[in-house]
Amino acid sequence: MRRVLVPLAGLAALCALALWQLSAPKALPPDAFDGFTGHPKAGELVFHAAGCASCHMAPQSDSPELAGGMRFASPFGTFRAPNISAHPVHGIGRWTVRDLGNAMIYGTSPAGQHYYPAFPYSSYGRMALWEGGLQDIADLHSYLMTLPASDSPSEPHDLAFPFTLRRGLGLWKQLFAQQAWVTPLDTENAHTLARGRYLVEALGHCGACHTPRNLLGGLQTSAWLSGAANPTGRGRIPPIDALEWGERDLTYYLKTGFTPDFDSAGGHMAAVIASLSKLPESERAAIAAYLLDLAARPR
Ligand code: HEC
Ligand code: HEC
């Protein structure tokens, strides 16, 4: 008996150690932002392209105060967006640019804990693959610090056990938050398409809503942007991988929310358009180029 149990216990301990190691939070090197200067004006565009306000603004508020409070229903429980205003205690006023980089690229908090993927770092993490990605984070950080501070404390999530244990998210990240582009690029028209891919796959986190998820909440990249169940449980989010729209219709929709049939964007897409409408026309054109290129690909 002993001869079996002792090695088994040893094996179990080794497995536990391996899982513990695999689930360790990752962080950028300490000098990752050395030599970077953030520019708030440029950061404002990153902020809109990434739609931070659509989740972090207090519900029913139109002030630029990122006080948090919005609820997100999911099969694992209800998440609450935290206060990310410039408040030194209740917000992120004391965060360094590297703290923000670790949160966005690795989903790691300043205290070294994992964030839940309701914060779409599995998309933002692709900023690490883009040449100007770190500069965009430095710009975003300097912009966030110009916004008003809110003293409303962040509210706790309402999750069921075992989802309350953040450490387990490390394994989830190993499976579903790997930093890789979803669509390979052709060389033709590569500049606009590459920009569009950055805006769609990284900043705009379009996949977070438009791509179906598996039972563990990971995005099924093999069905990229092919439509998904609405996480609220009501209705479906439409596919955007095979749009039969003209380029002008699409850029017009991304700016105004009006579809070619004179319908207007509703639900969560209205908030996405509110952010996209603040970008220069060239950015919406790059998003449209990416989506139309995707639609033209054989499947
Ligand atoms: C889809 C909704 C959503 C979007 C979009 C979003 N966030 Fe969040 N964010 C969340 C949620 C939910 C959390 C809480 C995660 C947790 O507790 O693990 C969070 C957490 C954070 C935190 C950690 C705050 C803390 O107190 O530790 C920061 C910082 C943050 N977000 C910044 C941003 C920025 C900057 C953007 C835009 C680039 C952004 N978020 C976009 C939902 C979102
Ligand atoms: C927070 C969830 C969410 C995110 C993020 C999101 N969308 Fe949507 N999108 C929706 C919903 C919901 C609809 C349906 C809107 C409606 O019913 O009017 C929609 C509709 C659309 C449509 C119209 C499709 C049709 O056939 O009518 C397009 C195009 C689109 N989204 C593009 C995008 C792009 C590009 C991004 C990223 C920059 C994006 N969406 C990000 C939720 C989202």
Side-chain angles (χ1 to χ4, degrees):
M1 207 44 187
R2 246 233 185 105
R3 255 192 230 156
V4 182
L5 280 184
V6 172
L8 264 185
L11 194 68
L14 266 179
C15 285
L17 189 71
L19 283 178
W20 187 254
Q21 295 251 316
L22 265 177
S23 63
K26 292 192 206 162
L28 292 162
D31 60 354
F33 285 95
D34 282 5
F36 282 81
T37 311
H39 305 285
K41 264 256 166 284
E44 186 175 0
L45 293 182
V46 180
F47 179 79
H48 293 314
C52 315
S54 65
C55 287
H56 285 283
M57 241 159 69
Q60 268 99 48
S61 123
D62 40 33
S63 77
E65 228 178 56
L66 301 173
M70 207 174 281
R71 290 160 189 268
F72 306 94
S74 83
F76 314 105
T78 303
F79 295 97
R80 302 291 289 265
N83 179 337
I84 61 157
S85 75
H87 194 279
V89 178
H90 296 298
I92 62 167
R94 290 207 191 107
W95 281 35
T96 63
V97 56
R98 180 169 171 265
D99 290 336
L100 185 66
N102 285 332
M104 293 187 64
I105 290 183
Y106 292 120
T108 300
S109 78
Q113 281 203 314
H114 292 298
Y115 287 121
Y116 291 102
F119 171 24
Y121 56 76
S122 31
S123 303
Y124 297 149
R126 297 195 180 97
M127 294 177 85
L129 307 172
W130 180 254
E131 230 198 283
L134 288 189
Q135 181 62 52
D136 280 353
I137 291 174
D139 292 342
L140 178 61
H141 179 262
S142 66
Y143 173 67
L144 290 172
M145 295 307 145
T146 66
L147 295 180
S150 154
D151 59 6
S152 4
S154 298
E155 287 164 87
H157 308 309
D158 183 8
L159 304 176
F161 186 81
F163 307 114
T164 44
L165 301 178
R166 286 180 184 264
R167 182 75 191 209
L169 286 165
L171 298 175
W172 187 94
K173 288 180 181 175
Q174 288 288 334
L175 293 170
F176 305 119
Q178 296 301 334
Q179 290 162 2
W181 298 116
V182 182
T183 42
L185 284 191
D186 284 337
T187 41
E188 217 184 311
N189 199 14
H191 184 74
T192 308
L193 281 183
R195 182 73 196 167
R197 179 170 71 173
Y198 178 57
L199 291 166
V200 170
E201 295 189 8
L203 295 184
H205 61 280
C206 316
C209 290
H210 286 279
T211 298
R213 290 176 189 270
N214 59 26
L215 282 177
L216 292 172
L219 291 182
Q220 293 177 288
T221 46
S222 57
W224 185 238
L225 301 181
S226 67
N230 195 318
T232 60
R234 274 171 283 128
R236 284 191 65 80
I237 298 176
I240 53 169
D241 62 335
L243 292 171
E244 289 174 1
W245 298 18
E247 205 227 302
R248 284 181 54 187
D249 287 342
L250 191 47
T251 45
Y252 188 70
Y253 175 80
L254 295 173
K255 181 173 183 178
T256 64
F258 288 113
T259 70
D261 333 316
F262 304 103
D263 213 348
S264 70
H268 285 302
M269 195 60 201
V272 175
I273 295 207
S275 302
L276 295 181
S277 67
K278 300 192 176 82
L279 298 179
E281 189 66 19
S282 57
E283 297 282 77
R284 286 184 296 272
I287 294 175
Y290 171 93
L291 292 178
L292 296 177
D293 173 73
L294 193 64
R297 286 172 189 236
R299 75 203 62 234

